[in-house]
Structure formats: structure tokens, C-alpha cells
Amino acid sequence: LEMSQRVSMYPNPATDVVKLEMPKRYQHIKATIFDAQGMAYSTAQFQNRKEFELSIAALPTGIYTLQILADDEWATKRIVKH
């Protein structure tokens, strides 16, 4: 399975926070949220984690792309902000 299919994200749609659960523990995780035009809104970094949360409270309502780089693996998820 592609890593994107093995990462669970909830709730989605969301208003304040999205929680992500990775398929395993990663040493370095970088999560970047992009808008529909491809502009990066925020980037968060985590060390030695399997789960993490991202605040989306400051984002305008819309659809965003979350790009995750976990060690040497990539995943992409779609976030719907209400």
C-alpha cells in the first residue's frame, strides 16, 4: 500500500485540529499544509513520533493538501476545513 493509504487522519472535515496516525514510528516528520493554489500555509515538524496533531483553526474555510515527509517516505492527504 502507498503510505498515503496507511496514514489515518480524523476528523475530516474539521474546524480546529486534525489528528494523524502514521503506520509506524518515524524519526523525522515534516507536515506542510498547502492551499488550492499550492501556497504553503504552515509547516510543522515532529521527532520520533507515530501520532501528531495539526491546528487548522487559523485557516480559511476550504480544501487543503497536507504533504507529509516521514523519514524517506511521502504521503499526501486532503483536508476539508469548515
Side-chain angles (χ1 to χ4, degrees):
L1 282 179
E2 266 190 46
M3 185 174 161
S4 298
Q5 297 172 306
R6 294 183 288 128
V7 174
S8 67
M9 182 176 71
Y10 55 92
N12 195 22
T15 52
D16 296 320
V17 173
V18 289
K19 299 179 183 189
L20 287 103
E21 189 172 326
M22 306 296 285
K24 66 177 188 178
R25 183 176 295 273
Y26 290 91
Q27 291 304 307
H28 302 285
I29 298 171
K30 180 178 174 184
T32 306
I33 297 173
F34 295 92
D35 68 10
Q37 286 73 44
M39 186 180 97
Y41 258 91
S42 67
T43 299
Q45 298 201 44
F46 304 92
Q47 310 298 320
N48 194 26
R49 299 281 281 282
K50 185 179 190 294
E51 300 174 0
F52 60 93
E53 293 184 357
L54 297 173
S55 173
I56 62 166
L59 296 180
T61 299
I63 297 173
Y64 296 86
T65 300
L66 171 62
Q67 189 178 74
I68 302 166
L69 174 60
D71 295 340
D72 59 351
E73 296 183 71
W74 287 91
T76 303
K77 304 294 277 186
R78 194 175 86 153
I79 299 173
V80 179
K81 162 71 192 270
H82 277 194

